Amino acid sequence: AQSVTQLDSQVPVFEEAPVELRCNYSSSVSVYLFWYVQYPNQGLQLLLKYLSGSTLVESINGFEAEFNKSQTSFHLRKPSVHISDTAEYFCAVSDDRWNDKIIFGKGTRLHILP
Amino acid sequence: GAVVSQHPSWVICKSGTSVKIECRSLDFQATTMFWYRQFPKQSLMLMATSNEGSKATYEQGVEKDKFLINHASLTLSTLTVTSAHPEDSSFYICSAREVRGYEQYFGPGTRLTVT
């Protein structure tokens, strides 16, 4: 069965500093990887996804993640965070392209310090 | 676009009673809706998948007689927790996928507290 490990439950970082949120997954023949973000009092939103092709995927708000098959990782990075990035971030995996069964990690809370 | 709402956002009920949670897709039609449960500091766990007009498919370990799911229309699914017990206290989240769509759109969640 698929599984996802987010190593950090909380990550504090100063505004405008870079950040990396770590995610490792269990290996499978085919894997589709996602990062979701949950802002306070809102539902989860898809931030970015890897389905196939280029291993580096980007979001519209400056986040990027790189699929590393050899290390079974899909870490999320941003070179300079903003206070508005304060949220909970969930890494997720599916072995089904139609996304019927998504396995989520426990989430990482990103704290932006002024 | 693609907004999913849940009602109520927070509910307290007494042990032994039943509580219904609604999940609505506000601006699209959802043939498939998903129900998740999240315990504190744990990940979201899929409970069941429901398709409009058919019976829900429950994940292993989820009691279908306890968690009744109805997906009677393309914009509404309900989860009823029957004979609730304190161990059912949790955060329940739904998501919806539109017709011929791929992405799941998530609701804001419902916090259930059983006393």
Side-chain angles (χ1 to χ4, degrees):
Chain A
Q2 294 276 18
S3 66
V4 177
T5 302
Q6 290 182 249
L7 297 168
D8 305 301
S9 59
Q10 291 191 69
V11 172
V13 62
F14 287 103
E15 198 169 11
E16 299 184 5
V19 68
E20 178 180 81
L21 306 184
R22 296 179 292 170
C23 172
N24 289 88
Y25 64 92
S26 61
S27 182
S28 179
V29 174
S30 58
V31 62
Y32 307 100
L33 295 157
F34 313 88
W35 276 99
Y36 286 85
V37 59
Q38 185 175 30
Y39 298 105
N41 301 315
Q42 295 185 30
L44 276 75
Q45 301 172 34
L46 182 63
L47 186 60
L48 48 76
K49 61 180 182 275
Y50 168 78
L51 301 180
S52 65
S54 173
T55 57
L56 184 67
V57 290
E58 299 177 351
S59 72
I60 58 172
N61 58 353
F63 282 95
E64 65 178 30
E66 186 162 18
F67 169 54
N68 188 319
K69 189 174 182 179
S70 63
Q71 296 186 8
T72 61
S73 68
F74 191 56
H75 301 331
L76 182 69
R77 302 184 182 95
K78 189 170 184 179
S80 176
V81 296
H82 189 267
I83 194 75
S84 60
D85 295 323
T86 297
E88 184 112 21
Y89 292 81
F90 293 90
C91 182
V93 63
S94 174
D95 58 8
D96 157 27
R97 189 179 181 90
W98 289 104
N99 214 13
D100 270 357
K101 290 197 177 181
I102 307 176
I103 307 299
F104 287 89
K106 292 183 180 182
T108 297
R109 185 167 296 278
L110 180 59
H111 280 291
I112 309 299
L113 307 171
Chain B
V3 178
V4 176
S5 71
Q6 284 185 239
H7 178 79
S9 57
W10 182 47
V11 59
I12 300 175
C13 71
K14 291 183 184 288
S15 187
T17 63
S18 296
V19 61
K20 180 184 287 187
I21 301 169
E22 292 185 350
C23 176
R24 293 183 185 272
S25 55
L26 298 185
D27 51 3
F28 66 99
Q29 293 185 323
T31 48
T32 306
M33 288 186 169
F34 305 83
W35 285 96
Y36 296 82
R37 181 168 53 183
Q38 184 181 27
F39 291 108
K41 300 189 186 301
Q42 301 293 319
S43 61
L44 282 76
M45 299 294 292
L46 180 65
M47 298 174 65
T49 303
S50 72
N51 291 293
E52 187 264 338
S54 62
K55 289 184 179 180
T57 302
Y58 290 81
E59 294 299 300
Q60 193 172 11
V62 178
E63 299 174 60
K64 61 181 179 182
D65 294 329
K66 180 170 186 60
F67 298 100
L68 302 179
I69 292 172
N70 183 284
H71 190 168
S73 79
L74 286 173
T75 59
L76 173 65
S77 175
T78 60
L79 168 69
T80 302
V81 182
T82 63
S83 187
H85 288 98
E87 56 265 32
D88 298 324
S89 298
S90 187
F91 196 53
Y92 292 88
I93 300 169
C94 75
S95 70
R97 187 172 65 204
E98 60 186 328
V99 177
R100 291 187 297 278
Y102 163 83
E103 184 173 340
Q104 290 185 32
Y105 299 99
F106 287 81
T110 296
R111 184 163 301 284
L112 170 64
T113 301
V114 184
T115 60

